[in-house]
Amino acid sequence: MKLLPHIRIWLSTDFAQDVIGTGRYRLLRTIGELGSLSAAAEQLGISYRKAWDDLKKAEKSIGCRLISKSRGGSGGGGKTELTADGIRLIGLYEQFAGKVERFAMETFNTLAKEIGGGQEHDRVP
Amino acid sequence: MKLLPHIRIWLSTDFAQDVIGTGRYRLLRTIGELGSLSAAAEQLGISYRKAWDDLKKAEKSIGCRLISKSRGGSGGGGKTELTADGIRLIGLYEQFAGKVERFAMETFNTLAKEIGGGQEHDRVP
DNA sequence: CGTCGATATGTTCGCAGATGCATGTCGGAT
DNA sequence: ATCCGACATGCATCTGCGAACATATCGACG
């Protein structure tokens, strides 16, 4: 009965669930680092289509813009950067998720020591 | 930017994910209370088929039996009760999930006060 | 030994979400 | 003015999951 905790953390609003989770957090963070949505999608190994959809859903859920986009530029490229709201959002998520995950690990280890001292029985066929 | 946290807590093993979450926790708990899988399914508003599948998956993931079943009896009825492992599992989940959720709420409130002091900008169309 | 209700399991159908393909659009740099 | 690559979006398709239906099996009790 060797168990480990596995937690999925989301931020939601009153009127829409699933504003941001680990996937969208990573996406926003990578966009911020690379300055490009398509480059971020490539680095994360997801299609541009999906990345764009995720972004749109996140913005619709939270109700404000998370990135500011532009087109054209040297070689036709555009640039994309996080808005102030976007930066605040990933900062909040990062800190929150980190604290909760750390707490969960500690708590689980303590509890498992107290409760899970037993051995396995009745192995399933 | 009024956000709230939304957490899903699972227990997993090294070799299989998703042993138990809120749904299966409720199912096991109700089985323990009512002494019947079909009665539990009915009370929870899910089909017997789904309840049975969930149970099977949980047992396969964790690798040991969670309930002991019998058939026949007065009026043909059987009885179903949690094994010692099953009882330990829901106890562990209950305590763990409770602590983590409480911690998450407190932590989020603190963080939101620190970070989320801003107003909304760039309302999405 | 027949009944009855609960366990046990296969099978099919429908649908939401993901994936992939194709195409349109924009604007700075040259 | 043209070009180029990244933003933007529609559309067809695929796929996995859950719901619903159907049915077999078991065994104490009377």
Side-chain angles (χ1 to χ4, degrees), chain A residues 60-117:
Chain A
K60 187 174 179 184
S61 297
I62 198 176
C64 63
R65 297 206 178 281
L66 297 172
I67 65 175
S68 71
K69 295 154 282 188
S70 73
R71 286 187 286 196
S74 67
K79 71 178 186 306
T80 301
E81 45 192 17
L82 300 179
T83 62
D85 286 333
I87 293 173
R88 264 206 304 259
L89 180 63
I90 68 171
L92 178 62
Y93 183 84
E94 187 173 296
Q95 285 193 48
F96 178 62
K99 281 177 195 283
V100 172
E101 266 161 24
R102 241 170 292 131
F103 176 83
M105 287 298 165
E106 291 165 14
T107 303
F108 185 80
N109 288 336
T110 306
L111 280 176
K113 221 171 289 175
E114 288 174 14
I115 297 181

Side-chain angles (χ1 to χ4, degrees), chain B residues 15-115:
Chain B
F15 51 87
Q17 292 226 323
D18 299 346
V19 170
I20 184 173
T22 50
R24 293 181 190 173
Y25 164 73
R26 258 196 287 263
L27 178 61
L28 285 173
R29 192 169 216 304
T30 309
I31 290 173
E33 284 168 7
L34 302 183
S36 160
L37 177 53
S38 58
E42 189 179 11
Q43 183 167 102
L44 295 176
I46 60 179
S47 69
Y48 175 83
R49 189 71 176 76
K50 176 169 170 52
W52 190 86
D53 265 354
D54 284 352
L55 195 57
K56 193 180 168 188
K57 285 178 198 163
E59 287 188 333
K60 187 174 180 184
S61 298
I62 198 176
C64 65
R65 296 205 179 283
L66 296 172
I67 64 175
S68 71
K69 297 154 280 190
S70 72
R71 286 185 286 197
S74 67
K79 70 179 185 309
T80 300
E81 45 192 19
L82 299 179
T83 61
D85 286 332
I87 293 173
R88 264 206 302 258
L89 180 64
I90 68 172
L92 179 61
Y93 183 84
E94 186 172 297
Q95 287 192 49
F96 177 62
K99 282 177 194 283
V100 172
E101 265 161 25
R102 242 171 291 131
F103 175 83
M105 287 300 164
E106 291 165 15
T107 302
F108 185 80
N109 288 336
T110 306
L111 279 178
K113 222 171 289 173
E114 289 174 14
I115 297 182

